[in-house]
Amino acid sequence: MQPTCCYRAALDLEAGFCDGCGKPLLRCAAFEECGGLLDERGACGVCVAPELTLDAGGVRDVKVGGALTLPLLLRNTASIGRPLFVKGLWTREAGGDWETADLPWDRLDAGETAPLSVRAQALDRAGEHQLEIGLALATRWRWREEVLAYTAGLAITVEGDEQLTVQQNITYAGDGQQTGTIYAPFRFQSEGGRRSTILDTKPKVLPLTRASRLERAFGLRGDTSLPTVPRNVRILWDGFVPGSTPSDGPIVTADGLLSLGRARARMAGGANDVRLLAQVHEGPIDQENSRSISRQHFSLCVENDRLVLRVESERGAWVNDHHVARGTSVALKDGDRFSPLPRGQGLLSVNVRFEENHGVADTVTLQRRPGTRPGA
Ligand SMILES: [Zn+2]
Ligand SMILES: [Zn+2]
């Protein structure tokens, strides 16, 4: 959770930084509905509030040596009416490979609970069987989607032929805090050779832990070949006409999005965050080529740990000299170049430079290249 001062400060949509603690206000894409701020790993705690429970009372007819189906309930506890979308469900045993489980549904409205189930394979020996459940959840806003993955751990202990115990592991981990496990077992007991009597039938909450490695391994966030772009990445504006960009720093707009195009910049009373004109440095504006730039030509945001450029102009745009159609999103990387104009009219392009530290982009420099005036 972000400090209370930041939530209060964020209500002023013009504010980019908290007047209490000075932190940048990293608003959720859906801020106008949820009023949420993102944590340092890009999650909005208002939009994404899942609760996974093991519906022990639903376990029936567990045969000796058989597979155990674990009935789960997923609840969307969001306090505002924001749906969650389930993108994936996986299980693995004893740190093995992840196996995909079926998803009978994909949307869960706020306040709703829906069933899922996963299978633990043949419990053919006595002893402890470690089971991990992986879950990918998404929150959507217009064309944007943030996907977050979580894991929950279970240990299923088979005690001879008599008893099957499902232990709930509550694991604390990370950030220099204490690490440990609490076991909260509940037991199934055999009845005529079938383990079918459940002693504790209350649903058990399975604590969900954010799973960055799962997010990367499954390509849900970031890209294994590119640095992770955190939501608070610093953007430096280089070579732009003064007053035509926001200040250097993270994206702190009301919807976490920057709008780039021919319309005036906000600082000059317009609708854009960044004004793009065909203009050599601060010299005269090339009116003819500037008219080929749409009022809003691009959107720029951080989505799923990537710096995403979306083409908004019906004329399309050029990324590394390839034409890109309207509505296309491109994950920018170090060395990329984008332009609202084709190369022959190359009076304006923007070069992208990443500075990374241990696989995380700290700073992205967007360098305006005005090019040269034809005939000059
Ligand atoms: Zn604050
Ligand atoms: Zn939100």
Side-chain angles (χ1 to χ4, degrees), residues 3 5-6 18 20-22:
C5 54
C6 297
C18 177
C21 67

Side-chain angles (χ1 to χ4, degrees), residues 166-186:
V166 176
Q167 287 183 338
Q168 174 189 353
N169 290 2
I170 303 173
T171 306
Y172 301 101
D175 299 344
Q177 291 165 9
Q178 65 187 64
T179 302
T181 304
I182 291 173
Y183 296 101
F186 58 98

